[in-house]
Amino acid sequence: MKTLVVILSVILVGNLVAGWFYTKTKDVEVTYLLPEGLEGCVSVHFFREGKPELEIVDDELLIPVPESGTLFTSSPSSVITNLGWHMEKAFYVNKKGERTQEIDPEKFANGAMISSDSPFSEKFILSFDGPSDLCQ
């Protein structure tokens, strides 16, 4: 009887771990949507009350960057960090929000999550000027 309980426990724990792993590695890509012609530093500021949440649509976490290059969202930074290893894409969009051109991934190679003691200070910065340009 003890052996049966141990075997069932191992199977249950194995299934829970496999389910957790599958959920964490789901194929969600981060997709930046930039106004046509926008270059330079982009920043996403998290935990901003009253601002729209980031959305996952068709396995894409959409980051709609405004013309200012600074996006404020009520979403926590974990919306990105909990994805773990993930792919990133970027597109220029027209005034209607339609994708017009994919941006070469080498053009946005440098990004960083920045935070101080408060979650309200958390922001993600990313340069769209190529790998040699770092945002501050």
Side-chain angles (χ1 to χ4, degrees):
M1 185 65 173
K2 282 185 177 182
T3 304
L4 181 60
V5 170
V6 169
I7 291 172
L8 291 176
S9 296
V10 168
I11 290 171
L12 177 63
V13 169
N15 283 333
L16 289 174
V17 169
W20 175 83
F21 183 77
Y22 174 77
T23 300
K24 290 294 188 185
T25 58
K26 191 170 185 226
D27 294 331
V28 174
E29 295 181 336
V30 174
T31 302
Y32 301 93
L33 304 173
L34 281 68
E36 291 178 318
L38 180 67
E39 293 184 348
C41 291
V42 165
S43 62
V44 180
H45 298 255
F46 300 97
F47 291 105
R48 300 304 169 108
E49 190 175 321
K51 298 298 181 183
E53 289 187 1
L54 297 177
E55 296 180 310
I56 296 176
V57 177
D58 296 329
D59 292 330
E60 289 183 310
L61 174 62
L62 300 177
I63 302 186
V65 179
E67 290 186 18
S68 67
T70 302
L71 175 67
F72 296 97
T73 177
S74 59
S75 296
S77 59
S78 62
V79 72
I80 293 177
T81 58
N82 282 354
L83 292 177
W85 185 260
H86 60 273
M87 298 297 293
E88 293 183 323
K89 298 186 293 188
F91 294 89
Y92 285 120
V93 296
N94 61 22
K95 299 278 185 194
K96 296 178 185 176
E98 300 166 329
R99 298 174 188 194
T100 58
Q101 178 186 354
E102 186 166 1
I103 301 170
D104 183 348
E106 290 186 15
K107 193 164 182 172
F108 58 99
N110 294 319
M113 188 70 74
I114 298 173
S115 178
S116 62
D117 293 335
S118 167
F120 301 106
S121 70
E122 291 181 359
K123 69 179 177 177
F124 181 76
I125 57 171
L126 183 64
S127 172
F128 280 87
D129 282 335
S132 62
D133 189 28
L134 295 174
C135 297
Q136 300 296 323

